[in-house]
Each structure stands twice: as structure tokens, then as C-alpha cells.
Amino acid sequence: MNANVLSWGRHPMITRQPVDRQAAKIAFYERKFALSQDLDAVLEQCFKERKDLASAVEVVFTCLARHLAPQVMFLRTFNEELTMTTYTWGIVFEVLARSQGALFQVAKPTRQTTPGLDWFAIPLDMAGETVGAMGMGFVTGSLTVSEREMFELMDAAAEELDSYFYAIQDNRRKHEFIMEIQRTLASRNLTTAISGATEILLRTVPIQDLLLLYLDEDAAGRPRPLYTIFRDGHKLFDAETNPLPLLDEMLQAFVPGTLPENSALEPFFPLLPTAETIPLYGAVEPYRIGRLIINPQEGAAFSIFSRELLQVFAESLRQRLVDFNREKTLLRHNFSPEATSRLLELRDYKTRYLASRTAEIGLLIVDICGFSHISEMLMPHPERLSAFIDGWSAGVLDLIFREGGALDKMVGDSLVALFGPPFYEQSVQQTVAGMVRTALAIRSFSREFFRSPENRDLQAQPFFKDLGVAIGLNHCQVHVGMVGPTRALSAMGGGMTDTLRLVDTARHDEILVTPVVKEHAEKIQPGLWKFHGPDAVARKFRREPLTYYRLAL
């Protein structure tokens, strides 16, 4: 007779054993589902409350104790610092490590019996990567489920924990990536900063090809596109150190300050269907200062995590370029491109070189003779007057920068230059020689500019024969540095007033100098420059007259 059937008269009676087994299975799955639901809810609440890992694990232990009733527990995983850490419940870590330390490293579900306790341990993993282990000790004989069912319950809990722990690791990796990128981009050398940050990105994200295209300035201050091309983690081309001639030729054909579209770059860089293009905008969004084009590894696409890191990299790089350009633009108001680049290499340049000080420096002031006539004539056409001033001042400033001078200010048709700042490295004689050369070059340039085709309308006027420049040179002690609310370079002192007086005294194309300028100019290059004088002119605020000489050339 079937063991599950009992004879009762003529009708068999079915026992309740299969029904009980089915009910037990349903009850187990309900218990497993309740555990998963409860643990998911508490972990979600931990996320919302932004609990640290240690606090979250305490909540997890409480939940597991409520559902499984172990005597002791441990969870081993990476903490927020990506350090493997063991959290315990009901037992001190040192005691657990001495007695059951082997359970910390289990690679598969493991049961182990010790006096008074039955231990169950399983590994925690995510996407094939082990992120820790979980173990529970039960009082011997207290289990109400089978070994298989206990491991199944623990697996259900592990499925909830795996994602939580992995998210912590991802966030930590992302944080470390951001910090490393920002530390590298803080380098004062922009090229070094960009190369270093790109290498960090290539170590972290699976990238096959990368092209960074961005705008910078050449030595003359003109905008120019720069680029870096990487393939399989290696730098192939760099605009400054290892250029790609055909790409350079193509970029030079574009309007200065603009960047080509992706289609124009295809002959030089592979554009896969899975390529990511990330524009880098300036402080004002429509103005693009660069672009990243990135190909993932062949046959792959970027994961969400990789895309997040790409965006972090692009934004950090964009901000570095914006900050660098803003800082560079401010310095370029006063200094040559070479001096600006040198200053930007130094983290402490503001206190080291630009802080206010009392110093002996050279002063050059130039003014257009007859400008009042030009202004009167061109006043009905302000754009023409602006073009005249812009053209003349740009040429003069270029000559000043070539000799290492700096711009103090420009007011109308008058331009004030300083020789000495920002580095104060030259001797008095070197400074004076540079000033004299600059003054002569300004005079020659101005003559050519006034006679250029663009100024034909001025050349037909009666006042044109009197058009020229008046220049004053001085070397004296002043208070100089970046001062005022705009932190602009400026020099102040009686020497500035004397130099302005020289310019007021000078006539058409005259260069007047103080005695100290004459003395040092004759010492450094005897016989090269000749001076007439001395002459004297009254000062506005001092009794003694101002002595000066006239450069004969």
C-alpha cells in the first residue's frame, strides 16, 4: 500500500504530509519575501537619511535579527574610504577574528560548527567582484530552517546589500577620481595639468581614442586652437610638443577664435558611431572654448558610471580653462604674453611679484600731438575714431611688450608704460636702454601708422603736418603694484608727475628724458644716443624746476 494512503473501510484517506510540506514551502517564501522587502525599505531609508556606513550596518543588523534571530553576526565590506572593514553584532571583533577569522574570506556558502554555535557565511559580490562577506552564528539546535533554506535567506539579504555596498564603492571611486583630477588640474602649467588629468581619465575609463581641442593664445596674444590626441592610453600628437602638420594646417584655415565641427576632424580622428562629444563652454554658454571627442573600446559602449566620470572630467577641465583664461585675461591687460605665461606658472605670483612695493622703475609716457584736431574731425564718426585709437595703441603696446615693459594705463590718446614690473630683474642701465629703444620704435611706428592708407582721410587735413607723438622717459622711485578695487597695475609718486610734465613740454615727435635716463643711456652704449640740453621747465607742485634733455635721434 502507498505509504501516503491509509485504508478506512472501502475509502482510502490521504494523509496531510504533502499539504504540510507545500504550506511550509509557501511560508518559507513568504518569510524570504518579507526579509527582502523589509531590508530594501531600511536601506532606502538609509540612503534618504544619508547615513554613514557604520550607522547603516547597525540598522541592517537590527533588521536581520528581527527576521532570522541569530546570536551573533558580522558584515565585512569596503567602507567609505575603500578600506576593508568588519562590522560585528553581539560579539567583539577581536574575539570573532581569533575564533572565526577564516569566515571573513569565504568564496562560497560555508557552514561551520563550533561549541555552542552553528555558523553560516556567504560572500558578497556584485558583477563578479567580491565586495565582502556576511556571517551569522546561531545557538546550536535553535535553527528552524534547513541549511539550504538558511543560505537561501542569507542570499536574499545579500542581494539587497550587494547593490548598497557597491554603490558606496562607486561613490567613493568617483570622489577619489574627482579629487585626483582637481589636484592635477591645479598645476600652474596648463599643458601639464591637461596631460596629467587626461592620463587619469584614461586609467579609469575604458577609452580607445580621445581628442581634446581647445582655444589658447600664441605669444602675440592671438587666439589659436590647441589639441591633444590619445589612442589606447598613449599620447600620439600634441599641438605644442608633437604636432600633426595636416591638422595644424586645417585649423589655421579657420577664423581665429573658432573651432571646426566634428566632420572636419574625421581625416585626423576616427569618429565611431558610439563616440561621445562633450562641448566645453566658456563663462558665457554660447562661447565654446573647447571640445572632447571620445571613442569607447572597440565593440563596447560607455557605462553609466563611465559617462558620469566623463562628465566630471569635462566639467573640471572646462572650469580650469575658464579660470585660466579669466586669470590670463586680467594679467594680459598689463603684461606681455611671455610675462603672463611666466606669472601663471607660479602659484604665489600675486604676493611674490604683484603686491604693492616701493621700487626704482622706468616710466614711459606717450601722447599723440594734434589729437584734439583728430577727435574734432572724427567725432561725428565714433567708430572711425575708435578704430584709429585701437590701431595706434595696439601697435604701441606691442612695442612696449617686446622690450619687457608693462601697461599702467591708457587714457584717451595717452599711454603710460612701466619698465621693471613684474619681475624687477633688470639693472637700471638695461631698463633705460629698453625704454629708449621703445621710445624710438614708437615714434617710427606712429609716423608709419599716421601715413598708412587707412588714415588717408587725416592726411588731407591741414593739421596732419603737426601730427606726431610726444614722449617722456624717467627712471625714479615710485609706489607700484596691483592696487585699487580692480587690482590693476599702477605706479604713483612724484616721478610720475615729472614724467607727465615732460610729455606736456615735448613738441611734435620729441623724446624728452630726465638726467638719470641720459646718464645711464650714455653709460650702457656710449656714443649710440646723443642728447641736447639741459633745459628746464617749471614744476606744478615744487619750487625747483624740472631739468630734462632732448634725445637727438
Side-chain angles (χ1 to χ4, degrees):
M1 180 179 293
N2 190 309
N4 293 325
V5 179
L6 294 178
S7 176
W8 187 265
R10 296 177 57 185
H11 302 285
M13 183 180 72
I14 307 299
T15 68
R16 299 190 58 83
Q17 186 175 353
V19 177
D20 291 343
R21 188 181 300 121
Q22 187 68 21
K25 183 180 291 188
I26 293 173
F28 172 76
Y29 284 119
E30 288 177 345
R31 182 181 182 183
K32 178 180 172 182
F33 179 76
L35 170 63
S36 296
Q37 289 289 96
D38 198 6
L39 196 53
D40 178 71
V42 298
L43 288 173
E44 184 176 351
Q45 189 62 31
C46 288
F47 266 123
K48 290 180 179 178
E49 295 178 6
R50 301 185 184 278
K51 287 184 179 294
D52 64 280
L53 183 57
S55 300
V57 168
E58 285 299 316
V59 176
V60 168
F61 280 150
T62 301
C63 179
L64 293 174
R66 185 166 59 250
H67 284 270
L68 303 179
Q71 184 75 11
V72 292
M73 287 183 281
F74 74 84
L75 273 172
R76 182 171 172 82
T77 188
F78 293 102
N79 65 11
E80 293 92 341
E81 302 299 322
L82 293 186
T83 301
M84 185 61 75
T85 304
T86 303
Y87 303 91
T88 62
W89 183 86
I91 189 171
V92 177
F93 168 74
E94 289 75 13
V95 174
L96 178 62
R98 284 197 302 269
S99 60
Q100 301 299 323
L103 295 179
F104 295 164
Q105 310 294 334
V106 293
K108 61 181 181 179
T110 301
R111 182 175 184 177
Q112 189 168 303
T113 302
T114 61
L117 287 176
D118 281 337
W119 281 96
F120 294 80
I122 61 172
L124 302 176
D125 62 77
M126 182 72 176
E129 179 182 354
T130 300
V131 295
M134 175 172 64
M136 299 182 186
F138 296 86
V139 174
T140 302
S142 66
L143 278 180
T144 59
V145 295
S146 67
E147 177 181 312
R148 178 187 60 79
E149 289 174 331
M150 176 51 63
F151 282 130
E152 199 170 330
L153 289 170
M154 292 178 70
D155 282 339
E159 286 182 10
E160 303 297 333
L161 292 173
D162 288 344
S163 298
Y164 184 81
F165 292 153
Y166 199 79
I168 290 175
Q169 292 183 53
D170 262 6
N171 288 335
R172 181 60 188 180
R173 291 191 185 101
K174 192 185 304 179
H175 174 73
E176 290 184 342
F177 175 81
I178 293 171
M179 296 301 294
E180 192 174 5
I181 288 289
Q182 290 179 343
R183 280 195 299 268
T184 304
L185 287 175
S187 169
R188 301 304 299 175
N189 184 293
L190 182 62
T191 302
T192 301
I194 290 175
S195 294
T198 304
E199 289 171 2
I200 294 170
L201 175 70
L202 294 172
R203 291 199 308 265
T204 311
V205 177
I207 291 173
Q208 179 170 298
D209 309 289
L210 181 147
L211 167 63
L212 169 62
L213 186 64
Y214 63 99
L215 293 173
D216 194 20
E217 292 181 349
D218 62 17
R222 295 181 296 263
R224 62 166 179 168
L226 296 181
Y227 56 85
T228 302
I229 299 176
F230 285 83
R231 182 173 180 83
D232 294 330
H234 301 287
K235 185 189 291 187
L236 297 184
F237 300 103
D238 182 276
E240 295 189 296
T241 59
N242 184 29
L244 181 58
L246 291 177
L247 178 56
D248 283 338
E249 184 178 334
M250 186 272 288
L251 293 174
Q252 289 168 9
F254 277 79
V255 176
T258 64
L259 296 172
E261 296 301 323
N262 283 7
S263 56
L265 298 170
E266 284 195 81
F268 315 101
F269 185 82
L271 292 171
L272 302 180
T274 52
E276 289 284 324
T277 299
I278 306 176
L280 306 176
Y281 291 106
V284 180
E285 185 167 306
Y287 176 61
R288 290 191 299 177
I289 57 175
R291 187 186 317 138
L292 273 170
I293 307 175
I294 308 159
N295 289 323
Q297 292 290 346
E298 188 173 354
F302 290 120
S303 66
I304 294 176
F305 180 72
S306 293
R307 291 176 188 274
E308 288 178 349
L309 294 188
L310 289 175
Q311 288 295 335
V312 167
F313 173 79
E315 177 56 25
S316 299
L317 179 58
R318 184 201 71 83
Q319 191 60 55
R320 177 66 174 90
L321 289 172
V322 168
D323 291 344
F324 182 80
N325 289 337
R326 182 188 298 117
E327 195 172 3
K328 180 169 61 177
T329 299
L330 290 173
L331 291 173
R332 284 295 310 279
H333 288 159
N334 301 107
F335 303 108
S336 68
E338 293 81 6
T340 297
S341 297
R342 185 176 167 189
L343 287 170
L344 289 173
E345 294 275 347
L346 305 170
R347 192 172 300 278
D348 62 343
Y349 75 86
K350 291 182 181 179
T351 55
R352 187 174 176 182
Y353 290 116
L354 303 185
S356 297
R357 68 183 71 192
T358 298
E360 297 270 349
I361 68 169
L363 303 178
L364 180 155
I365 302 179
V366 56
D367 184 79
I368 298 177
C369 299
F371 183 74
S372 58
H373 296 295
I374 297 174
S375 181
E376 183 179 349
M377 173 188 168
L378 300 180
M379 192 60 71
H381 310 283
E383 71 284 351
R384 173 70 181 94
L385 181 61
S386 176
F388 175 84
I389 290 295
D390 288 347
W392 176 78
S393 62
V396 170
L397 196 56
D398 183 55
L399 296 171
I400 291 169
F401 284 163
R402 286 185 194 179
E403 288 289 350
L407 175 65
D408 180 315
K409 64 179 68 68
M410 182 171 181
V411 181
D413 63 316
S414 295
L415 191 147
V416 180
L418 313 179
F419 287 78
F423 303 113
Y424 305 92
E425 294 173 328
Q426 293 187 328
S427 67
V428 176
Q429 291 181 3
Q430 290 172 325
T431 300
V432 166
M435 281 200 304
V436 173
R437 288 192 298 267
T438 303
L440 291 169
I442 289 173
R443 187 171 66 182
S444 296
F445 161 77
S446 299
R447 288 170 177 169
E448 293 175 6
F449 179 76
F450 297 153
R451 290 177 172 80
S452 63
E454 61 195 279
N455 291 315
R456 282 197 184 97
D457 53 347
L458 302 180
Q459 295 161 19
Q461 302 301 316
F463 62 76
F464 184 75
K465 60 181 174 54
D466 297 320
L467 200 59
V469 290
I471 302 176
L473 303 180
N474 193 4
H475 195 281
C476 57
Q477 187 179 83
V478 294
H479 190 71
V480 59
M482 303 296 259
V483 298
T486 59
R487 311 309 298 169
L489 181 67
S490 184
M492 297 170 284
M496 181 67 74
T497 304
D498 286 346
T499 313
L500 288 168
R501 189 74 179 106
L502 292 178
V503 175
D504 290 339
T505 305
R507 292 173 293 185
H508 172 273
D509 280 351
E510 281 191 335
I511 301 173
L512 303 186
V513 307
T514 57
V516 68
V517 171
K518 171 184 176 294
E519 174 188 349
H520 288 289
E522 291 176 334
K523 283 182 180 179
I524 194 167
Q525 290 182 302
L528 178 61
W529 296 309
K530 297 186 181 301
F531 298 90
H532 296 314
D535 293 307
V537 63
R539 287 183 166 108
K540 289 185 178 181
F541 305 107
R542 296 170 65 179
R543 286 187 178 182
E544 63 274 18
L546 173 62
T547 301
Y548 66 89
Y549 292 83
R550 184 177 291 104
L551 184 60
L553 287 178

